[in-house]
Amino acid sequence: MMENKSNGNGQKEWQPKIVAFFCNWCTYTAADSAGVSRIKYAPNIRIIRVMCSGRVDPQFILDSFAKGADGVLIGGCHPGDCHYQEGNYKCLRRFRLLQRVINSFGIEPERLRLEWISASEADRVRVVVNEMVNQVKALGPLALPQKYEELKKEIEHHPVTSEIKEE
Amino acid sequence: MTNQGNNKDIRIGFYICHCGTNIASTVDVQKVVEFASKLPKVVVSRDYKYMCSDPGQELIQKDIKELGLNRIVVAACSPFLHEKTFRNASSQAGLNQFYFQMVNTREQNSWVHLDPYASTEKAIDLVRAAIYRVVYHKPLEQKRVPIHPDVLVVGGGIAGIHAALTLANAGKKVYLVEREPSIGGHMAMFDKTFPTLDCAACILTPKMTAVKNHPNITLWTYSEVIGVDGYVGNFKVKVRRKPRYINEDLCIGCLDCIEACVYKEGRFYDEFNLGLSKRKPVYIPFPQAVPLLVVIDPETCIQFKSGKCKQTCVEVCEPNAIDFTQKERIEEIEVGTIIIATGFQTFDPKKIPYYGYGTYPNVYTALEVERLINASGPTQGQIVLRDGTRPKSIAIIHCVGSRDKNTNQWCSRVCCLYSIKLAHLLKERTEAEIYNFYIDIRTPGKMMDEFFIRMKEEGIKFIRGRVADIYPDTSNGCCGKLVVKAEDTLVGEIIKVPVDMVVLSIGLEPRADAQEIRRMFNITCSTEGFYIERHPKLAPVNTFTDGIFLAGCCQGPKDIPDTVAQAGAAAAEALTLIDTGYIEIEPNTAFVLEDDCSGCKSCIPLCPYTAISFLEDKKKAFINEVLCKGCGTCVAACPSGSIVQNLFEDEEIFSEIVGVLNYTYHEEEV
């Protein structure tokens, strides 16, 4: 179940949660440098560090959505600048495929974003995160865990589906 | 219930740092502590003002010993800053250092958000993720990589020269690679240096000669690095040695061939004098060049262009050193560490058309004036304009291509001081009236401001105002003077000063090919193109790539004293690695779970380091740990999930996802 978003302050607008996978050498460093420069951006992002955007397993993304993320952001080095030569290209391939896959699952492709942000582009972190947060806010909650919950109940109380299941 | 793994004896200690007020003023530290204390397997949850301080580290160590902790999570600054500190603290208390996880709560949280509530929520999510993750951590051994003792220094300016000599004097073998035919760099072009006014050549040429004569230095000029492979301790470098068309072993530097060339006078752009003089197709860059070897320029030499030259140079060369058939050579060397000292280029003032450089012959760049003043320059040190007359009034325009939104935003740091120096030298030689147009005078550093005050007392004029226009004086049928128009911001008036000569104090820029060089060495540079140091204060000569160090202006504009200091620091960093003999690197390599591998070979072509091979007998993939650099691309691609990356295992990342999203499983799903 998703955490109840209501808080001690009473009514607060719904805030999307965005899981980000940032590569160690470029985008994670850029995010650090944004901090050093005291650049301010939306607090909705939860950064998970990986060594390379090539490490981002499609399962990480699907799992993030399935477990309640409203958006997933991947940050890697610019083409040609990968610390591991070409991991970012591998990431790009998977990203293209994944966009189609999530679309067929009924997840808007805009909820998944891939950005090349080099270590020096601290301000780009701000721009991308803010853009993404606004975009996902406009789309509204994805809330897959709750949807699965409802789906499960439906299956349990639907004899036809259980017959099909038994076949 | 959350999925916490199956190890029942896990005892986690959680610590959050206030970092003074850096974290505590935005993140509700107490709330995080309280939250963490309630998470499963957390034995102790504490906060402390400065976790990185000795008492902070001792707090962790005491808890490890007294409470039997076997996992540590610290929420503090970026892991880039203090992960090592806390890993060391843990390992000193007897815990494997990789049973540690850090939560970036400063750079990526308290410093970038304003809302304390949201910031605290974020901290809680990330702390949860780290605590879930650390459960899966494995005790790992750090890999030790041996360091090849030889060093490559790229760039033979003062930075490269000083770094090479420092290393060579310490008994290390150094390859010094310089693109131009001679070492010396920009410093060799200068006349005098501020603030001491000692002549650049007098202090530089002894060092240049020392490089050439040093038994530990292999000097390759007219050469370029074209490929770099490998990693810290074991770089394989390819160097292209361009043909000089002179046999280096035979040429004795008598320069008879230059005299004998069929061109009786120099006809071609002289690179060293910035075109203020002409050279022949066979030439030396400057009289003090090291090595003192002639170069034949195939672009201008008749023999290369038509094949029908009388070859008077060949006739006169007694040692028979001229070789028109010489081809470029590729040398391959192995080194353990690399120092990048590729320097800078000067701003091209043609980008500011209203200053008239290239249009009005009496507008010069500061570097051209350095050559004019220099006794071995194109005019033997005479300050004369292109028409041969001596200027009676000179304007020096500061900040050309610096501190300007339209060109380069940074302060080039040396221009104020070299402008003041040039003002002094020009006044000394010409007794002209000198006007400095400046935005601000920036003269930090030892003896620098004193130098400025002294020069001001000499009667050099300083006008505060950015120059808006430079145009020919056409009043009263006048005289070829240039009018410098600016607002004197101290008086609040537009002033127009007619002068004979304009000197543009051009700023320092990254080299045009900085990006290509950066890619080749796998280091990072800022958007403008200066290479980025690992930490601006605490690792100023290191790069993000282990074993590669920076020196001089390739890292940012700086003067000669700072360049030399940095070159010494880079040499010391290289020495530290060489004398330790090895470096410990992150054990984040991947390995194959043989039982699960289906032998599909999907991973093999993905590896950029050809670390993965196929064991034909077992029909399984195999990862060579020595070659693996730990990117994890193969792990993400394996369809059967049978490749594991240390420190970034699937379980570790999945548990982080669960943690940041606060996802809870239902009973039936477990």
Side-chain angles (χ1 to χ4, degrees), chain A residues 1 3 7 12 17 19 21 24-25 28-29 31-32 34-36 38-43 45-52 54-60 63-64 66-69 80-81 83-85 87 90 94 120 145 149, chain B residues 78-80 83 104 107-108 111-115 117-118 122 125-126 518-519 522 525-527 532 544-545 588 606 608-609 629-633 635-637 645 648-650 653-654 656-658 660-666:
Chain A
M1 280 249 298
E3 193 178 10
N7 57 62
K12 230 183 178 185
K17 217 179 233 189
V19 176
F21 297 94
N24 185 62
W25 304 101
Y28 192 88
T29 310
D32 265 7
V36 173
R38 308 298 198 277
I39 291 169
K40 306 293 179 214
Y41 55 83
I45 185 166
R46 305 287 182 264
I47 299 168
I48 295 176
R49 183 169 68 109
V50 286
M51 291 311 285
C52 177
R55 174 68 183 95
V56 180
D57 191 321
Q59 284 191 67
F60 295 166
D63 202 58
S64 300
K67 291 186 171 142
D81 291 352
H83 190 80
Y84 304 102
Q85 298 178 17
K90 312 282 161 55
R94 292 170 193 149
S120 61
E149 196 67 21
Chain B
S78 166
F80 282 126
E83 189 174 52
N104 191 330
E107 280 82 347
Q108 296 184 4
W111 275 354
V112 288
H113 306 315
L114 293 167
D115 176 9
Y117 177 79
K122 180 173 175 176
D125 281 350
L126 289 164
R518 163 181 77 87
R519 287 204 177 121
N522 204 355
C525 63
S526 59
T527 26
I532 300 179
F544 282 100
T545 303
N588 56 7
L606 290 178
Y609 307 103
K629 304 270 196 311
C631 63
T633 301
V635 190
Q645 183 187 11
F648 294 91
E649 294 186 19
D650 281 352
I653 293 171
F654 282 129
E656 276 191 86
I657 295 171
V658 169
V660 293
L661 294 167
N662 192 23
Y663 180 81
T664 44
Y665 291 97
H666 288 273

Side-chain angles (χ1 to χ4, degrees), chain A residues 88-155:
Chain A
N88 51 357
Y89 291 113
K90 312 282 161 55
C91 180
L92 179 63
R93 275 195 228 165
R94 292 170 193 149
F95 169 76
R96 293 260 188 260
L97 186 67
L98 263 167
Q99 270 196 318
R100 288 164 60 191
V101 170
I102 62 164
N103 199 20
S104 68
F105 285 172
I107 303 171
E108 297 89 341
E110 295 79 29
R111 291 187 190 271
L112 175 61
R113 184 163 173 175
L114 170 65
E115 279 292 333
W116 310 132
I117 303 177
S118 79
S120 61
E121 295 173 305
D123 196 56
R124 186 96 190 111
V125 174
R126 175 185 67 85
V127 172
V128 167
V129 170
N130 286 349
E131 266 179 25
M132 176 115 189
V133 169
N134 287 334
Q135 200 165 28
V136 174
K137 261 187 192 164
L139 291 171
L142 180 63
L144 282 189
Q146 286 88 330
K147 283 179 192 162
Y148 290 151
E149 196 67 21
E150 283 162 24
L151 208 62
K152 196 179 285 164
K153 275 181 201 150
E154 218 170 282
I155 291 168

Side-chain angles (χ1 to χ4, degrees), chain B residues 196-471:
Chain B
T196 45
L197 294 175
D198 40 2
C199 96
C202 312
I203 52 179
L204 179 65
T205 46
K207 290 186 83 111
M208 290 164 64
T209 321
V211 165
K212 185 178 156 274
N213 296 333
H214 207 296
N216 287 337
I217 298 180
T218 306
L219 173 60
W220 286 339
T221 55
Y222 217 38
S223 303
E224 280 176 311
V225 175
I226 53 165
V228 181
D229 257 335
Y231 49 93
V232 55
N234 303 278
F235 292 107
K236 288 184 181 58
V237 182
K238 272 192 196 150
V239 180
R240 180 202 293 134
R241 307 204 55 204
K242 291 180 274 188
R244 276 189 152 86
Y245 304 106
I246 300 288
N247 187 324
E248 293 181 17
D249 300 329
L250 298 179
C251 176
I252 52 166
C254 67
L255 316 184
D256 286 350
C257 51
I258 302 179
E259 189 64 33
C261 179
V262 292
Y263 285 105
K264 289 296 158 233
E265 296 292 327
R267 286 265 299 270
F268 307 101
Y269 186 93
D270 178 345
E271 292 85 355
F272 190 77
N273 282 330
L274 305 161
L276 292 170
S277 64
K278 304 282 183 217
R279 61 158 172 80
K280 297 180 180 180
V282 53
Y283 68 102
I284 51 161
F286 55 102
Q288 304 86 352
V290 169
L292 193 63
L293 295 170
V294 266
V295 190
I296 295 176
D297 172 15
E299 298 289 310
T300 52
C301 173
I302 296 178
Q303 179 61 27
F304 282 96
K305 292 181 81 170
S306 67
K308 288 180 195 147
C309 183
K310 283 192 282 181
Q311 300 189 12
T312 43
C313 54
V314 178
E315 282 168 25
V316 81
C317 182
E318 270 180 38
N320 270 325
I322 295 176
D323 176 7
F324 290 118
T325 64
Q326 207 173 49
K327 294 273 174 306
E328 71 168 32
R329 278 176 296 156
I330 307 290
E331 306 266 3
E332 289 188 30
I333 52 171
E334 282 184 24
V335 294
T337 46
I338 297 174
I339 294 174
I340 313 254
T342 47
F344 64 94
Q345 66 183 32
T346 50
F347 173 76
D348 175 7
K350 283 185 183 148
K351 289 181 188 161
I352 309 180
Y354 52 87
Y355 284 169
Y357 180 78
T359 309
Y360 309 129
N362 292 344
V363 178
Y364 291 81
T365 67
L367 198 55
E368 286 170 338
V369 175
E370 293 278 358
R371 295 311 304 147
L372 280 181
I373 295 176
N374 193 283
S376 62
T379 55
Q380 283 77 45
Q382 296 299 309
I383 313 295
V384 288
L385 298 171
R386 288 183 220 265
D387 62 5
T389 59
R390 181 179 278 253
K392 294 189 189 65
S393 50
I394 302 170
I396 300 178
I397 320 292
H398 292 217
C399 296
V400 178
S402 303
R403 304 182 65 198
D404 181 358
K405 270 199 169 159
N406 301 315
T407 55
N408 296 328
Q409 281 208 322
W410 59 89
C411 168
S412 295
R413 242 185 91 180
V414 291
C415 324
C416 279
L417 282 153
Y418 80 56
S419 301
I420 297 166
K421 171 198 77 180
L422 286 177
H424 165 80
L425 295 174
L426 287 167
K427 192 162 182 68
E428 187 182 70
R429 308 276 171 96
T430 63
E431 288 172 9
E433 278 297 333
I434 313 242
Y435 306 90
N436 275 271
F437 290 87
Y438 67 97
I439 312 175
D440 295 295
I441 292 287
R442 294 186 169 177
T443 51
K446 195 173 173 177
M447 298 306 290
M448 300 297 189
D449 211 52
E450 293 91 324
F451 174 66
F452 165 51
I453 303 220
R454 216 164 62 234
M455 294 304 119
K456 215 157 58 167
E457 284 163 359
E458 273 184 9
I460 295 159
K461 294 189 173 61
F462 288 87
I463 299 162
R464 188 173 187 273
R466 189 186 269 281
V467 171
D469 202 4
I470 293 170
Y471 54 89

